[in-house]
């Protein structure tokens, strides 16, 4: 089973909508995961930054074009549910 990086969160269909900063942070996490670099060397800095810009732009475009008939999720409610799941998961360990 292929798992997505835990630091990359779903950004679609939330109220309020994802900010540019949230989209960029997710793009940064994605590029870090794909490249294996937390902070690139000077030799790779430009390629890394360009990749983050490209992924952020593609993500913004995707979020703008997606449609759903489902009502938007509340960020605070979903965050609380995630915290409750984490407490349950790590308490059992």
């Amino acid at each position: 089973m292929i798992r997505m990086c835990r630091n990359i969160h779903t950004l679609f269909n939330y109220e309020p909508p994802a900010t540019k900063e949230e989209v960029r942070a997710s793009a940064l996490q994605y590029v870090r995961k794909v490249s294996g670099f937390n902070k690139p060397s000077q030799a790779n800095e430009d390629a890394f930054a360009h990749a983050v810009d490209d992924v952020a732009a593609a993500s913004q475009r995707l979020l703008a074009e997606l449609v759903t008939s489902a009502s938007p999720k509340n960020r605070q409610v979903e965050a609380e549910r995630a915290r409750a799941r984490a407490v349950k998961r790590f308490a059992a360990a």
Side-chain angles (χ1 to χ4, degrees):
M1 178 171 132
I2 298 174
R3 302 183 99 189
M4 183 169 55
C5 178
R6 289 185 182 169
N7 294 331
I8 300 174
H9 301 283
T10 301
L11 299 176
F12 178 61
N13 200 30
Y14 277 94
E15 193 58 45
T19 64
K20 287 184 179 184
E21 292 78 18
E22 289 172 312
V23 172
R24 185 151 185 87
S26 288
L28 176 61
Q29 287 298 323
Y30 176 80
V31 173
R32 283 177 173 168
K33 189 70 168 181
V34 170
S35 69
F37 299 130
N38 190 34
K39 183 176 183 340
S41 65
Q42 285 184 335
N44 292 318
E45 206 167 78
D46 287 342
F48 190 89
H50 187 70
V52 172
D53 292 342
D54 288 349
V55 171
S59 297
Q60 278 293 154
R61 218 172 23 256
L62 174 65
L63 292 171
E65 294 176 8
L66 290 174
V67 295
T68 183
S69 59
S71 58
K73 300 174 199 159
N74 181 295
R75 287 185 184 280
Q76 292 172 334
V77 169
E78 294 300 319
E80 185 56 41
R81 287 179 184 163
R83 281 190 289 276
R85 284 191 305 270
V87 166
K88 187 175 180 180
R89 178 179 41 209
F90 295 118

